[in-house]
Amino acid sequence: PATNPASDLELKLPATIGTAGEVVQNSTTAGTLEMGSPFRPAFSAYCNASYDIASNTDVKSLFQAEHFDTDNAYDATNAKFVVPANMGGAYQLNAAVGIDDINDETKVNLKVKVNDSDTTGGYQQNSYSAGADRIASVNFNNVIKLSAGDEVKIFVRHNSTGTQSSENHMCYFSMFRLGGIAT
């Protein structure tokens, strides 16, 4: 109301509006509200089988299985997330990869690539092995800005001797859109 009412007002939506888990949010049309899920799309994927990681090479991490995928935006076959139409914005990205049996003082790097390009501004993380023949893991947690149609892939690299294997029980990739953040 344009003025302060004498008592509390109650807003009640018809039973046919919205579904469980949705919230009332600003519409893309100024001055209107709509039902929606501000944290969609969202997915969580993991490695269900180990894969080879060649030395000193950016290797696309393979997250072949999904826990869930709200909008079918994650492609497990090609290990990539594609931002759906009208769903650009700020995204929380979480990823981790473990590599087995690498050498002492070996560097492990995890890199986020958007549209197959290296990104800048903290989209990489490094880790080091504390000893020989151990598992080294590296993870990435950050908020990134994406536009509709952008493709996100995770790459891993190590400088150990020879080809090493991923530790499938230590590999994951998940993302969700952050609602309420102007982009």
Side-chain angles (χ1 to χ4, degrees):
T3 60
N4 200 10
S7 63
D8 291 339
L9 295 176
E10 182 178 319
L11 174 64
K12 186 168 182 161
L13 297 172
T16 58
I17 302 292
T19 59
E22 290 186 323
V23 297
V24 177
Q25 61 186 17
N26 281 330
S27 172
T28 53
T29 304
T32 61
L33 298 174
E34 66 184 8
M35 297 301 296
S37 297
F39 302 107
R40 279 189 36 236
F43 78 93
S44 178
Y46 62 96
C47 296
N48 62 2
S50 296
Y51 59 93
D52 289 339
I53 304 167
S55 181
N56 293 308
T57 304
D58 284 349
V59 175
K60 183 171 60 169
S61 296
L62 302 177
F63 307 97
Q64 312 99 326
E66 295 177 349
H67 290 288
F68 68 89
D69 184 357
T70 62
D71 292 76
N72 294 317
Y74 181 72
D75 176 354
T77 301
N78 295 302
K80 69 180 178 180
F81 169 76
V82 180
V83 179
N86 301 317
M87 297 236 177
Y91 280 79
Q92 173 67 43
L93 186 150
N94 309 296
V97 174
I99 302 176
D100 194 12
D101 295 331
I102 65 174
N103 300 336
D104 190 21
E105 298 298 320
T106 294
K107 180 175 84 169
V108 178
N109 175 268
L110 187 142
K111 183 185 296 185
V112 176
K113 289 191 178 187
V114 178
N115 300 324
D116 290 322
S117 295
D118 287 349
T119 54
T120 59
Y123 289 18
Q124 294 188 52
Q125 289 294 323
N126 291 314
S127 181
Y128 292 89
S129 173
D133 298 323
R134 296 190 181 179
I135 297 170
S137 64
V138 62
N139 61 31
F140 177 90
N141 302 288
N142 204 346
V143 175
I144 65 173
K145 183 179 178 185
L146 298 169
S147 299
D150 281 348
E151 293 183 359
V152 179
K153 299 173 190 168
I154 305 299
F155 287 78
V156 64
R157 168 188 283 260
H158 68 84
N159 63 348
S160 186
T161 305
T163 297
Q164 303 299 328
S165 180
S166 70
E167 280 292 323
N168 62 313
H169 65 280
M170 297 178 69
C171 301
Y172 62 83
F173 180 23
S174 65
M175 292 178 67
F176 62 91
R177 186 168 153 248
L178 297 170
I181 297 187
T183 53

